[in-house]
């Protein structure tokens, strides 16, 4: 259906266009601040694509939803863990120090349930994933400082089950939409990548490069598994399709690399951070379209960089620890650009900032010295920031034609330095969106 007939006249000619787009793209070059809580003691642990955030506030699990911070006081002490797209959030808590953890769930309707007791955990449980069915994976250690972990899974049908309890070590990292879990186990003093499907464990030491240390790190939405291995002292990452047996290499890090972190988007993009043998920090991004890209920070200015998120559009977030003032700075790395400070996109300076999460729509959760924030990308084409794309935005683009248009939060939505055809087309493409 045609929503609008738009006629634009320049000095030389008039152009007539149809606008039919109903849902707008986002302008991640322009970020608007939404304050979640002025209390920086809130520590987030997960965010979904609707911008709901789970975390911990004053030793209690808390969920930020619909502009409010809901504190879960069912247990004496608790902490937030994971959240899914259905609005379910799960954390762990107990009724006393040293007692076994309970799994506590805040349902989508706001009700709260204790759904299981992690027997033997003694207060040392940690959740790592939840799918849309509400199935949960996590692990508990054998006590403070212990390097021995036991994995567990909770499902609505089976309740709580321990994974490979007869082994000295089992650890789950993720669960997919079909209820498959992935992680690694220890056998013969070697950590081996493993998956669990309907109670059956599969290990992968038979794959190329996987006969030494290996892990199953994460799932993509299509069921592929991100594997990591360490053959010959190198560090290798690749996507593996369990059904077809196909492998897609991501990157191989030199043996001197350390402090390697990775994070994965739903469509299989991967972000990395690491330091090389000299201690220099690096950022890496792998996408199927562009392959592996790398950025090297100046070691005289940046001590460390930790990648914490990547979304389906390839936007990478993370945090640097900078010298000489030893401050933390939230960073964003957009495709085809260099990493920049997040404050650049919001024209605000913080004493300190830490980038926590990014979702599919480009929302970014950031901790600052004085508040916990959600950075919300403006709709692409919404030049005046009124929440909708329409006539006023189009007229402003025409008025600013050939200028800088006050940058990406003005008429130059694509931030190429000049208001032009692409900015006009963005308004047309997103006509009537965002409202």
């Amino acid at each position: 259906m045609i929503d609008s007939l738009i006629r634009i006249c320049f000095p030389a000619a008039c152009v007539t266009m149809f606008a039919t787009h109903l849902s707008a793209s986002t302008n991640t070059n322009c970020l608007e601040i939404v304050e979640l809580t002025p209390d920086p003691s809130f520590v987030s642990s997960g965010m979904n694509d609707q911008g709901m955030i789970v975390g911990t506030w004053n030793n209690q699990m808390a969920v930020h939803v619909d502009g409010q911070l809901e504190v879960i006081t069912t247990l004496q002490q608790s902490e937030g863990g994971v959240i899914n797209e259905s609005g379910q959030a799960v954390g762990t808590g107990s009724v006393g120090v040293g007692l076994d953890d309970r799994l506590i769930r805040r349902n989508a309707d706001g009700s709260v349930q204790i759904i299981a007791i992690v027997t033997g955990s003694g207060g040392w449980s940690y959740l790592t994933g939840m799918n849309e069915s509400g199935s949960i994976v996590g692990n508990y250690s054998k006590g403070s400082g212990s390097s021995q972990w036991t994995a567990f899974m909770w499902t609505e049908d089976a309740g709580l089950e321990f994974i490979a309890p007869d082994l000295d070590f089992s650890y789950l990292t993720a669960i997919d939409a079909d209820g498959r879990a992935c992680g690694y186990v220890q056998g013969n003093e070697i950590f081996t990548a493993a998956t669990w499907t309907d109670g059956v464990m599969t290990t992968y030491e038979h794959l190329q490069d996987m006969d030494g240390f290996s892990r199953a790190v994460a799932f993509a939405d299509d069921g592929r598994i991100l594997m990591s291995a360490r053959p010959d002292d190198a560090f290798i990452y690749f996507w593996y399709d369990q059904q077809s047996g196909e492998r897609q290499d991501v990157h191989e890090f030199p043996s001197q690399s350390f402090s390697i972190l990775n994070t994965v988007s739903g469509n299989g993009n991967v972000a990395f951070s690491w330091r090389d043998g000299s201690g220099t920090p690096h950022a890496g991004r792998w996408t199927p379209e562009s392959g592996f890209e790398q950025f090297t920070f100046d070691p005289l200015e940046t001590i460390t960089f930790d990648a914490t998120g990547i979304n389906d559009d390839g936007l990478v977030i993370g945090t640097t620890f900078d010298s000489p003032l030893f401050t933390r700075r939230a960073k964003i790395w957009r495709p085809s650009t260099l990493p920049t400070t997040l404050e650049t996109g919001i024209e605000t300076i913080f004493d300190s900032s830490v980038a926590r999460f990014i979702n599919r729509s480009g929302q970014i959760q950031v901790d600052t010295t004085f508040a916990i924030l959600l950075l919300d990308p403006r709709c692409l084409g919404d030049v005046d920031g009124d929440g909708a794309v329409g006539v006023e935005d189009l007229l402003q683009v025409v008025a600013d034609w050939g200028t800088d248009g006050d940058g990406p939060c003005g008429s130059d939505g694509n931030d190429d330095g000049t208001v032009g055809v692409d900015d006009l087309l963005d308004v047309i493409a997103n006509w009537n969106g965002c409202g």
Side-chain angles (χ1 to χ4, degrees):
M1 181 180 71
I2 297 173
D3 297 304
S4 305
L5 183 67
I6 302 170
R7 185 171 175 82
I8 305 170
C9 290
F10 297 92
C14 292
V15 179
T16 301
M17 290 174 280
F18 295 112
T20 59
H21 203 283
L22 291 176
S23 59
S25 302
T26 54
N27 177 8
T28 56
N29 293 309
C30 179
L31 301 169
E32 300 179 327
I33 296 177
V34 178
E35 184 175 270
L36 300 180
T37 169
D39 187 346
S41 64
F42 175 75
V43 179
S44 58
S45 58
M47 179 172 74
N48 68 12
D49 290 338
Q50 287 72 52
M52 289 181 60
I53 297 172
V54 62
T56 305
W57 181 79
N58 286 346
N59 294 317
Q60 297 287 354
M61 176 180 168
V63 178
H64 196 280
V65 55
D66 296 331
Q68 301 293 322
L69 187 66
E70 295 182 9
V71 181
I72 310 301
T73 58
T74 305
L75 296 174
Q76 180 177 325
Q77 59 184 24
S78 59
E79 60 182 28
V82 291
I83 191 167
N84 64 13
E85 299 308 319
S86 303
Q88 294 176 316
V90 178
T92 59
S94 69
V95 294
V97 176
L99 299 180
D100 288 341
D101 281 323
R102 274 71 170 162
L103 298 186
I104 182 171
R105 183 175 68 193
R106 187 263 188 198
N107 297 307
D109 62 3
S111 61
V112 177
Q113 294 174 274
I114 295 174
I115 58 175
I117 298 175
V118 187
T119 304
S121 61
W124 294 98
S125 298
Y126 179 72
L127 303 181
T128 54
M130 177 167 59
N131 65 15
E132 293 313 297
S133 299
S135 299
I136 304 155
V137 293
N139 312 276
Y140 76 87
S141 83
K142 301 299 174 65
S144 176
S146 173
S147 60
Q148 290 184 301
W149 290 84
T150 297
F152 59 83
M153 178 187 296
W154 182 90
T155 64
E156 197 73 53
D157 293 335
L160 189 78
E161 298 178 288
F162 293 105
I163 304 298
D166 53 325
L167 298 179
D168 291 335
F169 184 105
S170 60
Y171 195 92
L172 293 180
T173 56
I175 184 169
D176 74 357
D178 296 326
R180 285 188 307 160
C182 71
Y184 50 105
V185 296
Q186 183 179 15
N188 299 324
E189 300 183 354
I190 294 177
F191 291 108
T192 302
T195 56
W196 287 265
T197 305
D198 297 328
V200 177
M201 181 173 71
T202 302
T203 57
Y204 296 89
E205 63 270 23
H206 61 284
L207 298 180
Q208 179 184 346
D209 300 319
M210 298 280 280
D211 54 350
F213 176 88
S214 64
R215 294 182 303 148
V217 179
F219 289 106
D221 288 343
D222 61 9
R224 289 174 299 152
I225 309 165
L226 182 66
M227 297 288 195
S228 73
R230 189 178 179 180
D232 301 325
D233 291 329
F235 297 91
I236 294 176
Y237 286 81
F238 63 93
W239 283 108
Y240 177 70
D241 189 317
Q242 190 176 15
Q243 290 188 335
S244 68
E246 293 181 357
R247 165 178 170 155
Q248 186 174 25
D249 291 332
V250 172
H251 191 62
E252 178 176 336
F253 294 91
S255 59
Q256 299 87 0
S257 306
F258 64 99
S259 298
I260 301 175
L261 299 176
N262 67 84
T263 180
V264 175
S265 69
N267 67 348
N269 296 333
V270 188
F272 295 96
S273 57
W274 74 98
R275 299 169 72 184
D276 61 27
S278 67
T280 300
H282 302 265
R285 170 174 52 215
W286 181 90
T287 65
E289 298 80 18
S290 301
F292 189 79
E293 306 168 86
Q294 177 178 329
F295 178 82
T296 301
F297 292 91
D298 184 345
L300 298 179
E301 299 178 355
T302 300
I303 302 169
T304 62
F305 171 72
D306 294 335
T308 52
I310 184 171
N311 71 2
D312 287 356
D313 294 326
L315 294 172
V316 177
I317 61 165
T319 304
T320 55
F321 185 53
D322 296 338
S323 61
L325 300 179
F326 303 108
T327 54
R328 299 192 181 278
R329 286 280 179 259
K331 293 289 197 293
I332 184 168
W333 185 15
R334 299 176 176 90
S336 304
T337 67
L338 301 178
T340 58
T341 302
L342 263 173
E343 297 160 9
T344 303
I346 56 178
E347 300 178 353
T348 301
I349 303 298
F350 304 115
D351 291 337
S352 177
S353 57
V354 176
R356 296 290 187 188
F357 300 100
I358 184 170
N359 62 19
R360 278 184 166 92
S361 63
Q363 293 177 309
I364 302 169
Q365 194 262 298
V366 178
D367 296 351
T368 70
T369 307
F370 301 108
I372 308 301
L373 307 177
L374 185 67
L375 305 184
D376 208 353
R378 184 181 291 183
C379 289
L380 193 58
D382 181 19
V383 176
D384 58 11
D386 67 353
V389 181
V391 172
E392 296 300 324
D393 304 298
L394 187 147
L395 293 177
Q396 191 62 55
V397 168
V398 173
D400 292 339
W401 200 267
T403 71
D404 66 4
D406 292 328
C409 289
S411 299
D412 185 21
N414 64 358
D415 200 25
D416 66 356
T418 304
V419 179
V421 172
D422 288 341
D423 304 299
L424 178 64
L425 293 178
D426 284 338
V427 172
I428 302 302
N430 293 290
W431 197 263
N432 284 342
C434 304

